[in-house]
Amino acid sequence: MTAVGEANPCTYYNYVGGEWTKSAGGGLLESRNPATGEVVGYAQNSTVADVEEAIDAVYQAFQASDWGYNPKRRYEALLGLAQKMEENLEHLARVLTMEQGKTIRESRLELSGCIDTLKYFAGAARTVFGRSIQLEPHNFGVIVKEPIGVVGIISPWNWPALLMIRELAPALAAGNGVIVKPASLTPAISVEIFKLIDQVPHFAKGIVSIVTGPGKSIGAAMGTSKKIDMISFTGDTSTGKTIMEMATSNIKKLALELGGKSPNVVFPDANLDKAIPMIGRSIFISAGQICMAGSRLLVHESIKEEVLSRLQQYAEQLKVGNGIDETVDMGPLVSQSQLELVNEYCEIGRREGKIVTGGYRLTGGEYDKGYFFAPTIIDELPANCRVLKEEIFGPVLAVQTFASDEEALALANDSDFGLSAGVWTSDVNRAWRMSKGIKAGTVWVNTYNKNFPEAEFGGYKQSGLGRTRGIDGLMEYCETKHIHFETE
Ligand code: NAD
């Protein structure tokens, strides 16, 4: 069997029971570069039987090893993986860019985020404290935190390395066994990381598995399996709802990180020299394919003209192209279907509002080989327009205007989503009022897209359930037990 990552394009295997395995069905998934159409690799098109085998292997490893009650081992394992990723960062960044399309600079950023997350949760593995309490004379309660058992992680394609590690690190740090299913569009980068896990001796053999294949079959098999105790899902809100229904099979614990439609709210006293490039970046990074994209701009009417003209300039100077080129600012969309979806929303925008810039697929020369789309800004949309309400997951900024703080807050909260928001003002009281009033898991004041493994992240409303990152993120992967002692 070819070692993972050696041939080009290489064939990627599942990792089950600490061994590289082929799918019993024998089929392969093709992973293609969205900038060029070239094949990046072939991954296993796994079957439900493969998933069941992997779940059993993780369960056996969890039962047979000391993983669940040896935090120092988990600390060593996660640090070991961080070190391997550091050593291989450039190789991983190239695979990530070739498979997902994002710029090479963004790939390095994503992988650095993985390393930081692994280091944080390596340390956190040694801090899973419980509590104790005297309840009555001779009666003591000891509240302990325990691993849940077998956790299934289902990841999306947009930040495939970080969003897998963001859940894998705390799930393992808490002492669980884990089975991962990456998105079908990005199996190569996910399996490349497992290739490094395989090189770290501190992982208990079989405690973590990866199985690649379609969500509708093998993802669903994980969602309904009675042998999986918890599902951590990152992806579309509609898929999240399906996963919730599946989880009723055995009342699984759930952590859901879902979609967003996040506003940047710009007041007249904002520092526009700082705000404009950060607002632009918040929507055009990853070609807008990011859950916390600042996809709505709410701007005070008195500065609208200036803000829009400067954002238009920002959008039009971005260099769009193959992300492997160090000078490119924005790569392609991930697939033909994503391109069609973004185009559809722009057609709605054209019919119901006014396209300020962009709104079309880029064509000609190298552009014809990939799924490139122009950075887009749309204004003058009616209040209930789908472009304002739905997550587009593309480089499309929708603009709205407000006249008062109250109207700004009402517009910011006029959404089914509540993942994040940006507030731009130099008035600290206004910043505080807005931050407290906005129903979102993260509010950035005079900045955007700042994420740290130690700071909780997650959604209000239909943006999710539970929190990832930080101590709360670690606790999501723990059960709580009360052990009661009566001493006489
Ligand atoms: P998706 O829901 O289509 O797929 C996510 C994962 O679920 C994939 O691995 C997919 O194969 C699997 N899946 C699909 N159908 C399934 C089913 N019926 N049962 C089980 N698994 C199934 O999402 P996507 O298109 O990969 O990612 C984009 C979405 O993810 C956007 O909505 C984005 O906002 C969201 N997202 C959220 C966060 C966050 O932290 N809140 C982060 C990144 C992306």
Side-chain angles (χ1 to χ4, degrees):
M1 195 177 286
T2 321
V4 178
E6 277 180 4
N8 189 19
C10 41
T11 301
Y12 293 97
Y13 299 95
N14 291 336
Y15 187 66
V16 175
E19 308 286 344
W20 295 107
T21 60
K22 279 187 178 177
S23 162
L28 291 175
L29 287 174
E30 220 175 52
S31 177
R32 285 185 179 270
N33 185 333
T36 63
E38 287 161 0
V39 175
V40 175
Y42 300 95
Q44 303 302 305
N45 192 4
S46 306
T47 61
V48 172
D50 299 323
V51 171
E52 285 169 354
E53 191 188 328
I55 296 170
D56 286 342
V58 170
Y59 179 75
Q60 294 300 331
F62 180 73
Q63 292 294 100
S65 73
D66 63 353
W67 184 255
Y69 49 90
N70 191 343
K72 276 201 181 171
R73 177 179 193 167
R74 305 193 306 254
Y75 156 83
E76 296 284 2
L78 294 175
L79 270 192
L81 179 57
Q83 189 183 340
K84 291 282 173 201
M85 287 190 72
E86 266 169 343
E87 290 163 10
N88 291 277
L89 193 139
E90 210 43 44
H91 166 68
L92 293 173
R94 288 184 70 80
V95 173
L96 178 51
T97 289
M98 287 194 292
E99 182 173 60
Q100 203 278 344
K102 62 179 62 197
T103 68
I104 189 79
R105 285 178 282 154
E106 191 185 311
S107 289
R108 292 187 191 114
L109 192 75
E110 177 170 345
L111 291 159
S112 300
C114 293
I115 293 162
D116 199 28
T117 301
L118 285 163
K119 288 180 178 172
Y120 172 78
F121 281 109
R126 297 169 70 174
T127 66
V128 187
F129 288 105
R131 288 174 283 135
S132 66
I133 182 169
Q134 174 136 29
L135 295 158
E136 284 178 351
H138 313 297
N139 279 258
F140 292 91
V142 183
I143 314 298
V144 294
K145 292 288 180 183
E146 297 186 336
I148 296 166
V150 177
V151 173
I153 294 178
I154 303 178
S155 319
W157 47 260
N158 64 322
W159 277 59
L162 183 60
L163 299 178
M164 177 177 76
I165 293 290
R166 187 182 74 178
E167 307 308 328
L168 188 57
L172 291 172
N176 299 287
V178 179
I179 166 172
V180 174
K181 192 211 87 65
S184 305
L185 289 171
T186 49
I189 182 62
S190 317
V191 180
E192 286 283 352
I193 293 173
F194 268 72
K195 189 176 137 191
L196 301 177
I197 290 178
D198 185 48
Q199 294 172 21
V200 179
H202 300 94
F203 283 101
K205 189 171 161 69
I207 200 68
V208 53
S209 290
I210 188 165
V211 178
T212 56
K216 286 209 161 53
S217 54
I218 68 163
M222 287 169 66
T224 51
S225 168
K226 292 189 176 164
K227 295 178 178 171
I228 290 186
D229 303 296
M230 173 179 177
I231 290 280
S232 168
F233 170 80
T234 306
D236 195 78
T237 295
S238 63
T239 320
K241 289 179 183 177
T242 307
I243 301 263
M244 278 185 103
E245 285 167 18
M246 291 172 178
T248 57
S249 64
N250 60 334
I251 315 291
K252 278 181 193 65
K253 280 197 79 176
L254 282 179
L256 301 177
E257 293 295 331
L258 309 176
K261 190 77 181 176
S262 300
N264 266 299
V265 190
V266 190
F267 291 94
D269 57 0
N271 173 352
L272 293 185
D273 290 342
K274 184 175 177 197
I276 297 295
M278 292 198 86
I279 292 170
R281 189 167 186 274
S282 81
I283 179 65
F284 299 128
I285 185 173
S286 299
Q289 303 166 116
I290 182 166
C291 56
M292 60 202 153
S295 51
R296 290 189 291 149
L297 171 68
L298 310 184
V299 59
H300 190 271
E301 58 188 12
S302 65
I303 52 166
K304 177 179 179 181
E305 207 175 309
E306 179 184 1
V307 169
L308 259 195
S309 113
R310 289 177 70 175
L311 274 171
Q312 180 179 353
Q313 272 174 37
Y314 178 92
E316 289 173 358
Q317 56 80 42
L318 289 175
K319 182 172 172 187
V320 182
N322 185 340
I324 210 76
D325 174 347
E326 296 277 351
T327 64
V328 158
D329 300 306
M330 194 177 102
L333 293 166
V334 76
S335 64
Q336 175 74 31
S337 65
Q338 199 63 23
L339 180 84
E340 284 165 11
L341 197 71
V342 172
N343 206 35
E344 255 175 60
Y345 279 106
C346 286
E347 286 311 312
I348 297 173
R350 207 181 310 281
R351 275 200 310 275
E352 300 186 18
K354 178 183 156 201
I355 305 269
V356 177
T357 186
Y360 51 86
R361 179 185 188 167
L362 294 167
T363 53
E366 294 294 300
Y367 282 147
D368 288 342
K369 295 185 191 160
Y371 312 119
F372 297 95
F373 206 87
T376 300
I377 302 176
I378 310 181
D379 189 18
E380 296 177 20
L381 293 159
N384 280 325
C385 180
R386 288 177 56 200
V387 175
L388 285 173
K389 295 288 177 197
E390 297 173 12
E391 183 181 45
I392 298 177
F393 230 53
V396 181
L397 178 64
V399 182
Q400 285 175 293
T401 313
F402 63 85
S404 66
D405 288 22
E406 293 69 29
E407 192 185 2
L409 185 59
L411 285 174
N413 283 332
D414 183 19
S415 174
D416 288 341
F417 299 105
L419 193 58
S420 57
V423 175
W424 299 88
T425 175
S426 52
D427 176 343
V428 68
N429 294 317
R430 171 184 271 157
W432 180 249
R433 274 198 311 276
M434 289 298 294
S435 307
K436 290 290 290 170
I438 291 177
K439 302 267 177 264
T442 301
V443 180
W444 287 291
V445 177
N446 295 327
T447 189
Y448 205 89
N449 268 0
K450 290 280 177 75
N451 293 290
F452 302 88
E454 53 273 62
E456 278 73 5
F457 182 84
Y460 278 49
K461 302 193 258 182
Q462 295 191 30
S463 286
L465 202 61
R467 287 294 175 271
T468 183
R469 301 196 171 113
I471 296 302
D472 288 6
L474 180 64
M475 290 305 147
E476 292 281 341
Y477 291 99
C478 295
E479 274 289 11
T480 303
K481 183 182 281 174
H482 169 203
I483 301 173
H484 193 101
F485 278 87
E486 190 160 285
T487 51
E488 278 180 29

